[in-house]
Amino acid sequence: MKYLVRDRIFAIGDDYWIEDEHGRHAFLVDGKAMRLRDTLEIKDPDGRVLITLRRRLFSVRDTMTIERDGGTLATVRRKRMSLLRNHYRVTLAEGTELDVSGRILDREFAVEYDGELLAHISRRWLTLRDTYGVDVVREDADAALLIAVAVCVIRMAEREREDR
């Protein structure tokens, strides 16, 4: 399943729809303004919160958490040793690790588990500016989680670029 994400979703305080490949509203990204730290909620079309993304304030390395039902589902961190490409590690609550690598700022990267492709993020399929696609490859994959991972690593890479 492919999803269409507009880059402007990163404006805190604004809400944006993520559409499925048929142009239907699939997820609402709600940027929570007036919070002490970056907080985004990914909601279903009926407004139910599926996932909450939070930036950790007091951590040595930039870290974001992905939460579901009040508990931490995953933690996203930049890998220390990454010379040519951006690499991020997503550690799920039960200990499973996902690897995210590619050209994050160019919106050309992949999310993998143990070498198996789970999702491919790309601008190549689209003609719209400031838009990228999230192609969830496995049918049994958690689409909301994979979209949350994409949003997190892009936010983190952009923040790192701004800090330089």
Side-chain angles (χ1 to χ4, degrees):
M1 179 66 106
K2 290 183 183 174
Y3 297 91
L4 182 70
V5 184
R6 299 190 198 300
D7 267 342
R8 62 184 182 166
I9 85 168
F10 300 114
I12 296 296
D14 292 333
D15 300 343
Y16 299 96
W17 283 102
I18 295 174
E19 299 172 352
D20 67 15
E21 59 192 322
H22 305 291
R24 295 182 300 241
H25 290 167
F27 302 101
L28 175 67
V29 178
D30 184 358
K32 295 296 183 184
M34 307 304 290
R35 298 277 174 105
L36 188 58
R37 57 185 176 172
D38 283 351
T39 302
L40 297 168
E41 291 178 339
I42 297 178
K43 299 178 178 180
D44 69 10
D46 295 325
R48 288 184 296 266
V49 176
L50 302 173
I51 290 185
T52 301
L53 311 175
R54 297 183 201 278
R55 179 177 178 214
R56 285 199 182 162
L57 288 180
F58 304 108
S59 61
V60 176
R61 288 185 291 163
D62 197 14
T63 302
M64 290 189 77
T65 58
I66 300 172
E67 301 170 5
R68 179 179 280 155
D69 300 326
T72 299
L73 178 63
T75 303
V76 182
R77 290 184 182 90
R78 181 161 191 184
K79 286 175 82 173
R80 291 175 198 231
M81 302 302 282
S82 53
L83 301 173
L84 301 175
R85 301 167 59 154
N86 295 120
H87 287 272
Y88 289 82
R89 169 87 19 98
V90 180
T91 306
L92 300 178
E94 79 276 356
T96 302
E97 292 186 338
L98 307 179
D99 286 311
V100 181
S101 64
R103 296 184 323 273
I104 308 295
L105 294 173
D106 292 334
R107 310 311 189 253
E108 296 292 336
F109 59 97
V111 180
E112 297 179 337
Y113 167 68
D114 201 23
E116 180 183 355
L117 182 66
L118 298 178
H120 181 237
I121 292 74
S122 179
R123 283 189 170 153
R124 278 188 233 158
W125 320 308
L126 306 165
T127 57
L128 299 171
R129 236 177 120 216
D130 299 327
T131 304
Y132 62 93
V134 177
D135 184 9
V136 178
V137 177
R138 285 186 46 164
E139 287 185 26
D140 62 341
D142 184 341
L145 172 62
L146 293 172
I147 288 170
V149 167
V151 169
C152 281
V153 297
I154 290 169
R155 280 189 72 83
M156 293 169 74
E158 286 180 343
R159 199 169 21 255
E160 183 178 303
R161 180 180 61 188
E162 290 170 4
D163 291 345
R164 286 184 194 168

